[in-house]
Amino acid sequence: MKIAVCVKQVPDTWAEKKLRSDDSRLDREAADGVLNELDEYAVEQALQITEALGGEVVIVTMGPERAAETLRKAISMGADAGIHLVDDHLAGSDAIATSAALAKALEGRGFDLILFGSESTDARMSVIPAMIAERLDLPQVTFAQKVDVSGTTLTAERVTDYGYDVLTTELPAVVSVVEKINEPRYPSFKGIMAAKKKPVETLTVGDLGLEASVVGAAAAWSAVADFAARPPKAAGVVVTDEGNGGTKIAEYLTSQKFI
Amino acid sequence: MSDVIVLAEHFDSEVKKVTLELVTAARSLGSPVVLWLGAGCTDSVVETMGSFGASQVLVADSDAVRNHPVAPGAEIVAELIGSMSPAAVLVASSADGKEIAARAAIKSGSGIITDAVEIAADGTVTQSVFGGSTIVHSKVTHGTPIITVRPNAIPATQAPTTATKTDITPAVSEAAQKVTITNRAVVEKGARPELAEAEIVVSGGRGVGGAEGFGVIEQLADSLNGAVGASRAATDAGWYPHQFQVGQTGKTVSPQLYIANGISGAIQHRAGMQTSKVVVVVNKDPEAPIFELADYGVVGDLFSVVPQLTQEISSRK
Ligand SMILES: Cc1cc2nc3c(=O)[nH]c(=O)nc-3n(C[C@H](O)[C@H](O)[C@H](O)COP(=O)(O)OP(=O)(O)OC[C@H]3O[C@@H](n4cnc5c(N)ncnc54)[C@H](O)[C@@H]3O)c2cc1C
Ligand SMILES: Cc1cc2nc3c(=O)[nH]c(=O)nc-3n(C[C@H](O)[C@H](O)[C@H](O)COP(=O)(O)OP(=O)(O)OC[C@H]3O[C@@H](n4cnc5c(N)ncnc54)[C@H](O)[C@@H]3O)c2cc1C
């Protein structure tokens, strides 16, 4: 079983996220970059599958130079190798261009499974897995809370608004997982040391065989016109319950016309 | 006037409120044409679409559409983009909606913008990002604008007309039928409004202490005709079903009123409720970060504050 796991470096979950005033892009310098926490579940799932069935796990990321740390972090959970798409031409890519570059990097390498988190914590689009499935013409099994692989058949539970759907398909396939699926392991000391020696391939736009004109900000099919910080909310009123807390809220709700 | 394709969000014949919000938003861009995938498009559905201003309802129902997720829908949307040259395609920001939009964007060579909270007549989209702290205006600059819209962001208003219903028999490729839905587990919905659509959401967290504790949360919700939500701590503990989890990996809600009870306000919880218009907090810890979001907060034990509130509401009605 050869598994790719796509991971994204995002600003630290707790950091205040900002856009840069000059080009309206995410200010990635303003906060520490961390592994998108939902992608940890995808790495864990890949490791569990290869531990049961044998095989290899390759971590794939597209991002600037410093995304290499995130790639190593994911590898240190126990993966075997990494692929880093890094090229200044990729900066400012929209989802369309990101998926184009990732698809090229994944194509033709014989992956049986391509795993993703269900969304990034910064842009939160939840579209990249579906776009990769579309581009590579692979079956798409997303928002999985349970995944079973038996032979070449994949069965999964896709979380829906009303419960879940049970899906089946044949490998190779694209899968995204939700956080209910497992409990990601912490990298062990051994894993962290080993990760330093695992092979990481870096790829440029040229290596991917893509024209520089189809990726990056200039090629984006959507453009930010302007942005602004939302004016901060006026500080609210906080009172301590002295036996009439419920009544006080009722008065407030009445004043706001909810009652 | 150009057509604007609206992908209906529905569960069988039950139309989700966001569909009417999409039709309303579509009116400012052109003439709304609703695409209904799968079963359930009754005459009364068509009538409802008409009353919100849809000129047509196109029904694409076949085994291929019913039994395979996402890919068939994306194929049909892309085909209609080709044949109708619409001014835009509007889709709900649900899991299926975003993924159908994503694949249709690639197929049709179009840009995509997700999680719109407003769409101007010139196609400029407003997004509320980073938990509502930043407002972004953007525009699709290539192909047909494909825009997913957040539920509860654009109020639905009526604009009565008569919609015609047309069955389109879409050919769905083999490639789009590689994944099969073999079973559908449907959780009992109950009588309360749907979480993502509700005007009022009353949520409980670890502070509720157990499944029985959710009784006081439900009673408060019912007194306000609201929906019940829960933090992940509460759903993971099995106190309340996962479908009701609010947050990063649960539902995103933007109600008029959100009442958080016994919830500390972790970043992942906030990600799902931060754009609520009015936030009321009950928590016994004055340092709980959720108070930062509160328009009105009470530091106290939810088991005394919440029942008293429910009682007050019932007596004031
Ligand atoms: C606030 C904000 C709003 C944006 N809005 C739009 C928009 O409306 N339209 C648009 O086209 N672009 C938009 N972008 C750009 C978009 O974020 C990037 O193109 C991004 O790479 C893809 O979207 P996502 O991060 O939401 O991915 P998602 O689809 O949410 O990510 C799902 C999974 O895909 C994988 N993945 C995502 N990115 C990478 C990566 N770089 N390398 C490896 N794996 C990855 C991960 O497994 C992740 O869990 C926006 C960016 C920001 C910061
Ligand atoms: C990948 C990932 C995804 C996640 N996704 C989500 C998500 O979608 N949604 C989500 O909610 N969380 C999510 N989380 C979890 C999140 O980090 C928090 O752990 C969770 O929100 C905590 O829930 P809580 O506030 O109910 O519990 P706690 O943080 O334990 O807070 C309980 C609060 O109740 C108060 N309290 C206790 N007893 C009483 C009482 N009698 N009266 C009044 N107040 C009382 C306490 O003072 C405390 O503030 C996610 C985490 C990860 C890692």
Side-chain angles (χ1 to χ4, degrees), chain A residues 37-38 41 179, chain B residues 205-207 230-233 245-250 262-266 268-269 282-285 288 300-303:
Chain A
E37 68 184 343
L38 293 166
Y41 299 81
E179 101 293 354
Chain B
R206 201 192 307 275
S231 74
R232 180 170 170 213
Q245 181 177 317
V246 171
Q248 175 93 53
T249 49
I263 292 176
S264 63
Q268 295 93 347
H269 187 78
V282 180
N283 194 305
K284 66 181 185 190
D285 175 9
D301 188 332
L302 72 91
F303 289 102

Side-chain angles (χ1 to χ4, degrees), chain A residues 10-30:
Chain A
V10 296
D12 188 4
T13 315
W14 283 99
E16 196 184 329
K17 302 176 193 68
K18 285 203 173 79
L19 296 177
R20 290 197 302 224
S21 54
D22 51 346
D23 59 4
S24 309
R25 288 188 207 153
L26 183 63
D27 188 346
R28 296 189 189 274
E29 306 302 319

Side-chain angles (χ1 to χ4, degrees), chain A residues 13-19 26 37-38 41 94-96 99 118-131 133-143 145 155 158-170 176 178-180 182-183 220-231 233-254 256 258-259, chain B residues 9 11 16 69-71 74 94-96 98-99 102-103 105-107 109-115 129-142 175 178-187 194 200 224 232 236 242-243 245 247-249 251-252 256-257 259 265-268 271-272 274-282 291 293-301 304-305 308-309 312-313 316-317:
Chain A
T13 315
W14 283 99
E16 196 184 329
K17 302 176 193 68
K18 285 203 173 79
L19 296 177
L26 183 63
E37 68 184 343
L38 293 166
Y41 299 81
D94 62 357
I96 305 280
S99 66
S118 52
E119 72 176 35
S120 71
T121 55
D122 55 358
R124 301 193 65 190
M125 292 183 73
S126 285
V127 297
I128 296 294
M131 287 182 173
E134 177 66 37
R135 289 187 182 276
L136 299 179
D137 196 12
L138 290 175
Q140 165 198 331
V141 176
T142 45
F143 297 95
Q145 62 175 1
T155 311
R158 169 181 171 87
V159 177
T160 62
D161 268 352
Y162 47 80
Y164 61 86
D165 287 349
V166 180
L167 306 180
T168 68
T169 193
E170 292 293 304
S176 82
V178 299
E179 101 293 354
K180 289 170 191 67
N182 58 41
E183 200 48 63
W221 289 354
S222 51
V224 173
D226 61 72
F227 70 91
R230 190 166 71 164
K233 238 175 148 166
V237 177
V238 177
V239 300
T240 300
D241 181 33
E242 284 161 350
N244 61 349
T247 310
K248 289 229 144 135
I249 298 176
E251 282 163 8
Y252 174 75
L253 294 181
T254 306
Q256 297 294 309
F258 286 112
I259 306 176
Chain B
E9 184 87 1
F11 184 67
K16 300 282 162 133
V70 182
S94 60
D96 280 31
K98 281 182 168 187
E99 295 192 329
R103 298 186 67 143
I106 303 277
K107 281 181 194 291
S110 301
I112 174 172
I113 295 178
T114 53
D115 289 320
V129 304
F130 306 148
S133 67
T134 306
I135 303 294
V136 181
H137 292 118
S138 49
K139 217 169 167 170
V140 169
T141 51
H142 194 276
K178 286 178 182 165
V179 181
T180 303
I181 302 172
T182 57
N183 187 25
R184 188 154 265 185
V186 180
V187 177
E194 188 125 348
I200 296 180
L224 290 163
R232 180 170 170 213
D236 270 5
H242 278 299
Q243 280 64 36
Q245 181 177 317
Q248 175 93 53
T249 49
K251 300 258 155 68
T252 300
Q256 297 298 321
L257 172 63
I259 308 184
I267 196 94
Q268 295 93 347
Q274 207 147 10
T275 53
S276 305
K277 312 294 175 297
V278 172
V279 177
V280 171
V281 170
V282 180
F291 279 114
L293 300 181
D295 294 286
Y296 197 87
V298 171
V299 179
D301 188 332
S304 52
V305 176
Q308 185 180 62
L309 172 56
E312 275 288 334
I313 292 168
R316 277 167 196 246
K317 270 201 255 197

Side-chain angles (χ1 to χ4, degrees), chain A residues 172-189:
Chain A
V174 164
V175 173
S176 82
V177 303
V178 299
E179 101 293 354
K180 289 170 191 67
I181 198 163
N182 58 41
E183 200 48 63
R185 67 195 68 187
Y186 288 104
S188 64
F189 180 69

